[in-house]
């Protein structure tokens, strides 16, 4: 994509505030954090519910970006930057994308529905790419921002497009339709996703089908209820399992690992094998088959290509690797647009200074090989990658375009050289086209752990963070608690994500937690909430900021600061306003003020207190008393200080229940991890963790036999018992056993039987179609953390933090 600034000004009808309107733009950006922003970038300062892009313009200018689409020009950059002033920057981005789309005349498939959009898109790309230069949405870029960014990727060499469109409320699809301008439509299905944004199912269906108002053909499963919402002037191409009037009638027969579809299409009858048996995959396959039929593919081609379909991995996974490496697994796709996303994710998650990319040949770019690898090389340079390992005949051919590149013409050559590559203390992005089987490289590099894992959804962390941030006044800052190993979810990785989101402060309980974060390269200020005096030296050595809560502690730290000749070292003062756990009391304040005055070694960065019952509105009056007491005590202290410290008292529940007390900063804790005490609020949070394991062994036991220690379970009839390699040493409490708790296998409940052992538990899987090696869910949607806590008479905090660190954490982003 190449645009001139003059043309953009014309298209957007923007007010030009600048001096250099003769310029070429080769990159559109909305993310100030991306290392790909450079002199050729046009930055759109999007104003959203959680962030305002205008706040980051000065930082971008310092990094070389000069062109910005804004609603107002920052006063500090008048006469410096080049600005296109518009009324609404999001609408401007969409307008530019719609104009760009209008420059091209080739088939465009627009896909919408409640589920299956991304899978159908990826499968169609696989099926059609041997015959077309396909441009498609990267990953799940189907939103009001994602769609225009996707469409702006079209270039002169593409001749087929596939874009998905997602909506969550009324009046969104019309804009996406103008941007995509699809010629062929696919409606995957209508489910319950985003029901909360619409008055009823009919309103949602009507909104989704607006994508198809100008298509020449709409592909969908025949459904009379849906048909009522489709413009009768639109030609439909339908399939069905039970309605013979559909254009394509399908009979399904399930085999061991495949499904045979017997197809009747006009006067043709034929069979197609697909490598799946589940209903969702069969339906997604049929939508793809309908496209091939419409495009006139030969029957033999259809059968061969449909049989070659594969499970789509829609996650970027973060894994611990050998020799202190960190792996980012994106081993199932290799195209230019998704490479850009993966490189941004690499920068977000890196835990080592050294960054390595293992990259296969890149496909479906629409560019010549020379142009493509020149752009890839520039992308690698922009992201400051230290080493590139290329695998494939084409990247081997263009290896000299890269700095510090080792290339191999085949996987065999790479394996032969593996030991000489010396992977150690680096963050490694593994990104390859499916044909290269880069998952084998991941297996080779991955640190081996047992089969029990806690999957952490980084998208959910971001969603929950932004949910609470949206509740804050514009100038209220946010501290996020990552103590107790990130509430059991993984401290360093979550801290890195929060740093990426520009959180103001991080909070930990003890010095060693903060030291781990600092050693991992975290730059955000870190407050240590419960510092021990023996750790004060380590706190200073690592630049941590202690919470001081007693006169004894203050005197000790002040003495150390005097010895070290520190100047204005940051500390935080904790006040006791009724919790009676830690903090200065009212009677301590005169002496504390006396100690503070006249010294220059310490600077009070913030004053804080802790609410006892912010989650229980029965104690609302007491909470108000705490807030009033805190305000009075903090004001008294601040009046004797040379600086103005931040004040903060609200925790997660306080943010929601006492918004009037946000003050200068709030402290987000368990809400980040998807847990709320309020049922309505809980519905708006996303689940962060899923605890998974596998079936190690199946036993078929007769009636009268027992299971586990103490023979606490006796079979009343013949039973099938599954052994799962997780126990109370991993965080599954013994009280969850013996029929109290359960696990999920293939969507079915299996009660835990007998005592939970240290490293194992047993479950009754009688009647469930399962085998050894199958995945089981121990915590997730069912049973949820809240379910387990309620049943065991405890709180979600205890469940989350009880998951031991020997359980492997796997981080992923959808």
């Amino acid at each position: 994509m190449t645009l001139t600034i003059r043309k953009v000004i014309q298209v957007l009808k923007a007010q030009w505030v600048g001096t250099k309107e003769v310029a070429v733009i080769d990159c559109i950006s909305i993310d100030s954090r991306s290392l790909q922003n450079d002199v050729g970038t046009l930055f759109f300062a999007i104003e959203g519910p959680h962030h305002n892009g205008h706040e980051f313009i000065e930082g971008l200018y310092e990094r070389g970006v000069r062109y910005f689409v804004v609603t107002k020009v920052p006063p500090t950059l008048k006469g410096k930057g080049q600005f296109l002033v518009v009324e609404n920057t999001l609408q401007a981005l969409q307008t530019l994308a719609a104009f760009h789309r209008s420059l091209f005349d080739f088939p465009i498939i627009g896909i919408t529905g409640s589920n299956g959009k991304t899978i159908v898109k990826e499968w169609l790309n696989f099926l059609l790419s041997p015959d077309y230069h396909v441009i498609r949405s990267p990953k799940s870029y189907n939103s009001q921002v994602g769609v225009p960014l996707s469409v702006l990727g079209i270039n002169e060499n593409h001749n087929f497009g596939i874009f998905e469109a997602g909506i969550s409320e009324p009046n969104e699809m019309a804009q996406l339709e103008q941007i995509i301008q699809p010629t062929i439509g696919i409606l995957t299905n209508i489910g319950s996703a985003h029901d909360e944004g619409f008055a009823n199912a009919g309103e949602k269906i009507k909104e989704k089908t607006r994508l198809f108002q100008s298509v020449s053909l709409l592909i969908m499963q025949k459904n009379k209820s849906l048909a009522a919402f489709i413009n009768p002037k639109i030609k439909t191409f339908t399939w069905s399992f039970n309605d013979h009037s559909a254009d394509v009638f399908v009979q399904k027969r399930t085999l061991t690992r495949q499904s045979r579809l017997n197809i009747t299409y006009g006067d043709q009858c034929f069979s197609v094998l697909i490598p799946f048996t589940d209903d969702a995959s069969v339906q997604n396959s049929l939508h793809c088959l309908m496209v091939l039929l419409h495009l006139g593919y030969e029957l033999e081609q259809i059968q061969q290509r449909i049989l070659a379909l594969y499970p789509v991995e829609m996650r970027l996974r973060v894994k611990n690797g050998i020799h202190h490496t960190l792996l980012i697994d994106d081993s199932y796709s290799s195209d230019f647009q998704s490479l850009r996303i993966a490189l941004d994710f690499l920068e977000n998650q890196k835990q080592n200074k050294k960054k390595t990319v293992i990259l296969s040949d890149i496909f479906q770019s629409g560019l010549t090989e020379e142009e493509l690898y020149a752009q890839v090389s520039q992308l690698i340079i922009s992201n400051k990658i230290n080493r590139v390992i290329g695998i494939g005949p084409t990247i081997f051919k263009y290896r000299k375009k890269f700095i510090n590149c080792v290339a191999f013409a085949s996987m065999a050559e790479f394996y032969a050289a593996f030991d000489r590559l010396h992977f150690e203390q680096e963050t490694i992005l593994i990104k390859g086209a499916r044909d290269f089987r880069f998952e084998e490289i991941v297996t080779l590099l991955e640190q081996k752990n047992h089969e029990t894992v806690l999957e952490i959804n980084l998208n959910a962390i971001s969603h929950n963070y932004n949910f609470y941030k949206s509740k804050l006044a514009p100038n209220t800052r946010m501290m996020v608690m990552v103590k107790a190993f990130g509430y059991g979810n993984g401290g360093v990785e979550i801290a890195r994500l929060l740093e990426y989101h520009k959180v103001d402060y991080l909070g930990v309980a003890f010095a060693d937690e903060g030291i781990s974060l600092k050693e991992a390269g975290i730059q955000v200020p870190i407050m240590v909430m419960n510092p021990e005096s023996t750790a004060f030296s380590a706190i200073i050595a690592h630049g941590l900021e202690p919470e001081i809560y007693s006169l004894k502690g203050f005197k000790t730290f002040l003495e150390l600061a005097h010895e070290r000749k520190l100047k204005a070292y940051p500390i935080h003062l904790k006040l006791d306003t009724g919790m009676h756990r830690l903090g200065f009391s009212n009677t301590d304040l005169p002496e504390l003020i006396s100690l503070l005055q006249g010294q220059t070694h310490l600077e009070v960065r913030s004053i804080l207190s802790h609410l006892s019952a912010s989650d229980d509105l029965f104690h609302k009056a007491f909470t108000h008393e705490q807030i009033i007491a805190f305000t009075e005590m903090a004001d008294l202290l601040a009046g004797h200080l040379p600086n103005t410290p931040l004040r903060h008292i609200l925790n997660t529940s306080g943010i929601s229940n006492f918004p009037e007390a946000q003050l200068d900063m709030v402290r987000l804790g368990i809400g980040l991890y998807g847990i709320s005490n309020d049922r309505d609020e809980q519905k708006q949070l996303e689940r962060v963790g899923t605890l998974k394991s596998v079936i190690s062994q199946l036993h078929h036991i007769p009636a009268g036999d027992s299971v586990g220690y103490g023979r606490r379970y006796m079979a009343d009839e013949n039973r099938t018992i599954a052994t799962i390699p997780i126990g109370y040493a991993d965080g599954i409490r013994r009280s969850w056993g013996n029929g109290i708790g359960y696990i999920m296998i293939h969507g079915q409940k299996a009660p835990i039987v007998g005592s939970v052992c240290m490293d194992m538990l047993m479950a009754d899987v009688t009647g469930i179609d399962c085998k050894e090696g199958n995945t089981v869910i121990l915590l997730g949607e069912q049973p949820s953390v809240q379910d387990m806590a309620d049943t065991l008479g405890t709180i979600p905090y205890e469940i989350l933090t009880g998951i031991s660190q020997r359980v492997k954490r796997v981080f992923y982003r959808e």
Side-chain angles (χ1 to χ4, degrees), residues 176-224:
L176 300 186
E177 190 277 336
Q178 292 176 25
I179 298 169
I180 298 173
Q181 302 169 37
T183 58
I184 301 170
I186 298 177
L187 181 60
T188 56
N189 63 43
I190 299 293
S192 60
H194 301 299
D195 276 355
E196 67 278 3
F198 299 90
N200 51 56
E203 183 183 53
K204 182 167 75 170
I205 296 168
K206 186 176 180 180
E207 180 68 20
K208 283 186 177 291
T209 55
R210 286 180 178 171
L211 179 63
F212 310 125
Q213 61 188 26
S214 300
V215 298
S216 59
L217 185 75
L218 172 58
I219 294 171
M220 59 183 288
Q221 184 175 10
K222 194 171 183 65
N223 182 302
K224 291 181 180 179

Side-chain angles (χ1 to χ4, degrees), residues 676-693:
S676 172
N677 291 296
D678 182 273
R679 289 186 178 181
D680 291 333
E681 186 170 276
Q682 182 67 58
K683 295 175 183 177
Q684 300 181 69
L685 299 177
E686 293 186 1
R687 185 181 72 257
V688 168
T690 302
L691 183 59
K692 293 182 175 181
S693 192

Side-chain angles (χ1 to χ4, degrees), residues 482 490-500 503 506 517 522 524:
V482 291
V492 172
E493 294 81 3
I494 291 173
R496 197 174 304 285
L497 177 63
L498 293 168
E499 185 172 53
Y500 190 68
V503 70
L506 296 173
L517 296 181
I522 299 299
V524 176

Side-chain angles (χ1 to χ4, degrees), residues 356-370:
T356 296
V357 175
I358 302 177
L359 186 65
S360 78
D361 287 349
I362 297 177
F363 303 121
Q364 298 105 28
S365 71
L367 302 172
T368 66
E369 286 184 355
E370 186 79 27

Side-chain angles (χ1 to χ4, degrees), residues 219-249:
I219 294 171
M220 59 183 288
Q221 184 175 10
K222 194 171 183 65
N223 182 302
K224 291 181 180 179
S225 298
L226 291 179
F229 295 91
I230 306 296
N231 186 334
K233 295 181 180 179
I234 297 175
K235 182 181 178 182
T236 59
F237 189 33
T238 61
W239 62 269
S240 179
F241 290 119
N242 46 41
D243 190 338
H244 287 269
S245 68
D247 297 296
V248 174
F249 181 70

Side-chain angles (χ1 to χ4, degrees), residues 11 42 194 206 226 326 386 419 462 488 525 543 559 580 619 708 726:
V11 170
L42 176 61
H194 301 299
K206 186 176 180 180
L226 291 179
L326 186 77
N386 302 94
D419 290 337
S462 297
E559 183 180 347
H580 299 322
H619 298 291
I726 183 172

